[in-house]
């Protein structure tokens, strides 16, 4: 077995483990308690808030996000590692090419946590959505440096990743298959398709963060809700990093 085959098997094992660990959805005791406290219209408000945040950032916010990191240098470093691995897919080269910027991801997680907790302390929940979405996309952009995430199809892929990462059980399996199909075949989404994926991603985020954003709107105790921001950013980014690695290995496989 060569180094590439070992890397591919390791990738498939990681994906199976991820899906197995999320075979069932389990609500926390806190979520079950809050079910009876959350206003019925809050879910629709969050759906709309996240959808508008995605549309705004995709349309006008990417340049602002890129001011928080050096895209050119990070992109160059990432592509050099990929080229080395593509020409000589040794174990070390594959590991170097697939690794993300761990320190940068940690920084993003810490910043989102501080922001969420701070807003929770003063009772800010819903207005935190653009900040949360911006930090999430920043983390995903940095994971996707080897690809031109300004393109429509790459934005579509990012939305697929977000939608899949927030699911469990059979819904996760189906969403994961859609991600893998994109990796193997690509896509040319039109405007309506993008709107649909924005809606799916927004509803996924609002479904997961519904109770926490409600809690975050209550002064002082809202810090508990804000503390969940980095947990979900980390969850989505980890899934995305795993699938970007699959995409990288798939690209190499097709070239050899």
């Amino acid at each position: 077995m060569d180094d590439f085959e070992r890397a591919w098997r390791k990738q498939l094992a990681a994906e199976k483990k991820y899906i197995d660990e999320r075979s069932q959805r389990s609500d926390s005791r806190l979520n079950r308690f809050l079910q009876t406290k959350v206003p019925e219209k809050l879910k629709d408000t969050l759906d709309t808030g996240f959808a508008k945040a995605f549309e705004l950032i995709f349309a006008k916010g990417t340049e602002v996000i890129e001011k928080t990191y050096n895209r050119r240098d990070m992109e160059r470093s990432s592509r050099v590692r990929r080229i080395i691995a593509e020409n000589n897919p040794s174990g070390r080269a594959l590991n170097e090419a697939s690794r993300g910027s761990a320190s940068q991801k940690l920084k993003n997680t810490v910043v989102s946590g501080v922001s969420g907790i701070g807003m929770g302390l003063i009772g800010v929940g819903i207005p935190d959505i653009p900040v949360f979405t911006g930090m999430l996309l920043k983390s995903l952009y940095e994971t996707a440096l080897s690809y031109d995430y300004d393109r429509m199809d790459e934005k579509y892929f990012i939305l697929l990743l977000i939608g899949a990462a927030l699911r469990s059980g059979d819904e996760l399996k189906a969403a994961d298959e859609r991600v893998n199909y994109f990796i193997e075949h690509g896509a040319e989404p039109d405007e309506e398709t993008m709107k649909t994926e924005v809606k799916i991603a927004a509803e996924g985020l609002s479904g997961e963060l519904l109770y926490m954003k409600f809690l975050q709107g209550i002064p002082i105790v809202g810090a508990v809700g804000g503390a969940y921001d980095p947990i979900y950013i980390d969850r989505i980014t980890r899934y995305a990093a795993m699938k970007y690695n699959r995409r990288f290995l798939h690209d190499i496989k097709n070239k050899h």
Side-chain angles (χ1 to χ4, degrees):
M1 185 189 306
D2 61 19
D3 287 345
F4 177 82
E5 184 62 27
R6 274 191 286 270
W8 183 249
R9 291 191 179 187
K10 182 179 178 181
Q11 172 69 25
L12 296 181
E15 293 185 9
K16 183 179 184 303
K17 180 180 178 181
Y18 181 93
I19 291 175
D20 288 346
E21 288 176 347
R22 291 159 180 78
S23 60
Q24 293 183 339
R25 178 186 175 88
S26 59
D27 282 332
S28 68
R29 185 179 302 175
L30 177 60
N31 279 2
R32 290 195 295 271
F33 170 75
L34 291 173
Q35 281 178 351
T36 59
K37 311 294 182 182
V38 178
E40 292 183 5
K41 292 184 178 180
L42 181 59
K43 178 66 167 59
D44 292 337
T45 301
L46 287 177
D47 286 348
T48 302
F50 277 116
K52 287 183 177 178
F54 279 123
E55 291 170 355
L56 178 63
I57 294 172
F58 279 156
K60 302 178 181 179
T62 298
E63 290 184 4
V64 176
I65 291 175
E66 287 179 348
K67 290 180 180 179
T68 64
Y69 61 93
N70 192 324
R71 175 179 179 177
R72 181 178 297 177
D73 287 350
M74 293 175 67
E75 194 172 49
R76 184 185 299 116
S77 177
S78 176
R79 286 184 173 172
V80 165
R81 291 196 300 268
R82 283 176 60 91
I83 290 171
I84 292 173
E86 288 169 358
N87 292 325
N88 179 29
S90 65
R92 181 176 179 179
L94 289 170
N95 288 334
E96 283 292 311
S98 64
R99 70 176 176 83
S101 177
S103 61
Q104 192 63 37
K105 288 176 185 174
L106 177 60
K107 179 181 177 181
N108 290 338
T109 301
V110 171
V111 170
S112 66
V114 171
S115 171
I117 292 170
M119 289 189 175
L121 285 171
I122 61 174
V124 175
I126 304 302
D128 173 51
I129 288 176
V131 177
F132 174 88
T133 307
M135 289 303 303
L136 171 60
L137 289 177
K138 177 179 185 292
S139 187
L140 292 176
Y141 286 165
E142 290 172 352
T143 305
L145 281 170
S146 295
Y147 299 92
D148 185 3
Y149 52 71
D150 292 321
R151 289 171 32 176
M152 185 73 77
D153 58 334
E154 293 300 327
K155 292 176 181 177
Y156 174 77
F157 184 53
I158 286 173
L159 291 169
L160 287 179
L161 293 170
I162 295 172
L166 296 168
R167 281 163 170 69
S168 57
D170 290 339
E171 288 186 353
L172 169 59
K173 291 179 182 178
D176 189 67
E177 287 177 1
R178 293 185 69 208
V179 171
N180 289 343
Y181 184 89
F182 177 95
I183 290 172
E184 294 177 11
H185 304 286
E188 296 182 5
D190 56 23
E191 188 174 333
E192 285 303 313
T193 300
M194 287 296 293
K195 286 182 179 179
T196 298
E197 290 307 320
V198 165
K199 185 173 184 291
I200 291 172
E203 290 177 351
L205 284 168
S206 65
E208 288 294 324
L209 292 166
L210 175 63
Y211 303 125
M212 294 304 106
K213 290 304 172 191
F214 166 72
L215 197 62
Q216 195 175 344
I218 304 173
I220 308 301
V221 72
V224 176
Y228 275 75
D229 283 5
I231 293 174
Y232 282 100
I233 286 179
D234 181 69
R235 174 176 166 182
I236 295 168
T237 305
R238 285 178 183 274
Y239 175 79
M242 181 175 69
K243 303 311 285 192
Y244 272 111
N245 191 52
R246 180 189 181 104
R247 191 176 179 186
F248 162 67
L249 292 174
H250 178 268
D251 291 345
I252 290 181
K253 189 175 182 180
N254 284 347
K255 291 181 179 181
H256 288 269

